[in-house]
Amino acid sequence: MAQLLSTDLTNRGLVLDPRSKLTLMLSIVFFTMGGVGSDIKAVILISKLLGLIPIILLLTAKQWKKTLAYGGAYAVLMLLSLELLPVLDGGIKIILSICCIGVLRFMPGLIMGAYILSSTTVSEFIAAFHRMHIPNQITIPLSVMFRFFPTVTEEMEAINSAMEMRDIRFFGKNAGKLIEYRLIPLLVCSVNIGQELSAAALTRGLCAEKNVQIYAT
């Protein structure tokens, strides 16, 4: 999970402008997760094709494992929704419909967001927003959030590894302490990471309009 969210500058594949990436993600979310025009065949086809864009971008970045995992899951769920669901009836159909349709709507947007985080640096992000004349009150919090999720993911994996050594896990001897010993450290780390990233952004002068223009160039 940490590798999916961390920025890898060596294997970015097709280098797109951050504004193009955000436009693609908004389009994917608008059509797939929003269910816009779900009764129109052309819109349904467009939404399915938009769901393939993250797979193509991952292929260009040579991220083979992620491409197989996402592409395989997307293909299986799509096959189930088109072939199996019309045949079923009753409660099983309702449960599978909720699972398949829900995941199919959320998965493309989530994978596209993860691709943006893993292929875009903070400097590129700030420069793109500066060209769009986005105010600093929006750019600075988003730039902090840009590095927040990968850092929290790394901390979460470290906490999970430490707790597994103490057998604090599901079906373990100390399963009752799972929430206390994993959730509380994660919350504390999240607060500290947010404060540290905010302080780092302010220390670099991102709050000053003149420094933002220099940093963007």
Side-chain angles (χ1 to χ4, degrees), residues 150-160 186 189 193:
T151 309
V152 170
T153 305
E154 293 176 359
E155 292 291 336
M156 183 176 64
E157 292 186 352
I159 292 171
N160 291 337
L186 182 61
C189 289
I193 290 170

Side-chain angles (χ1 to χ4, degrees), residues 4-90:
L4 183 61
L5 295 177
S6 59
T7 305
D8 185 8
L9 299 180
T10 58
N11 293 318
R12 292 202 292 178
L14 183 63
V15 180
L16 298 174
D17 189 273
R19 292 169 290 181
S20 301
K21 296 177 184 178
L22 291 175
T23 303
L24 279 175
M25 188 178 71
L26 291 176
S27 301
I28 290 172
V29 172
F30 187 75
F31 282 97
T32 59
M33 191 169 66
V36 178
S38 57
D39 296 332
I40 305 175
K41 293 183 178 180
V43 178
I44 295 175
L45 179 60
I46 292 174
S47 64
K48 292 178 180 178
L49 293 177
L50 286 174
L52 299 176
I53 291 179
I55 300 178
I56 298 174
L57 293 175
L58 289 174
L59 278 174
T60 60
K62 298 180 180 180
Q63 301 180 13
W64 312 120
K65 293 182 180 179
K66 300 171 188 177
T67 304
L68 289 175
Y70 169 59
Y74 190 81
V76 170
L77 291 173
M78 185 65 68
L79 184 63
L80 289 176
S81 63
L82 294 177
E83 300 295 336
L84 185 60
L85 289 180
V87 180
L88 296 177
D89 194 7

Side-chain angles (χ1 to χ4, degrees), residues 120-195:
T120 309
T121 62
V122 179
S123 59
E124 292 175 344
F125 177 79
I126 295 175
F129 269 58
H130 177 67
R131 295 191 187 99
M132 292 189 294
H133 303 286
I134 303 296
N136 295 339
Q137 291 79 3
I138 298 177
T139 303
I140 293 174
L142 289 178
S143 63
V144 172
M145 183 188 68
F146 215 73
R147 299 310 310 152
F148 176 78
F149 290 107
T151 309
V152 170
T153 305
E154 293 176 359
E155 292 291 336
M156 183 176 64
E157 292 186 352
I159 292 171
N160 291 337
S161 299
M163 293 303 102
E164 287 178 358
M165 293 176 61
R166 294 169 174 82
D167 204 19
I168 301 176
R169 56 184 177 177
F170 287 109
F171 307 109
K173 295 181 180 179
N174 301 316
K177 301 179 181 179
L178 183 65
I179 297 178
E180 179 182 358
Y181 284 81
R182 289 197 179 192
L183 183 60
I184 294 178
L186 182 61
L187 292 175
V188 174
C189 289
S190 300
V191 173
N192 293 334
I193 290 170
Q195 293 176 350

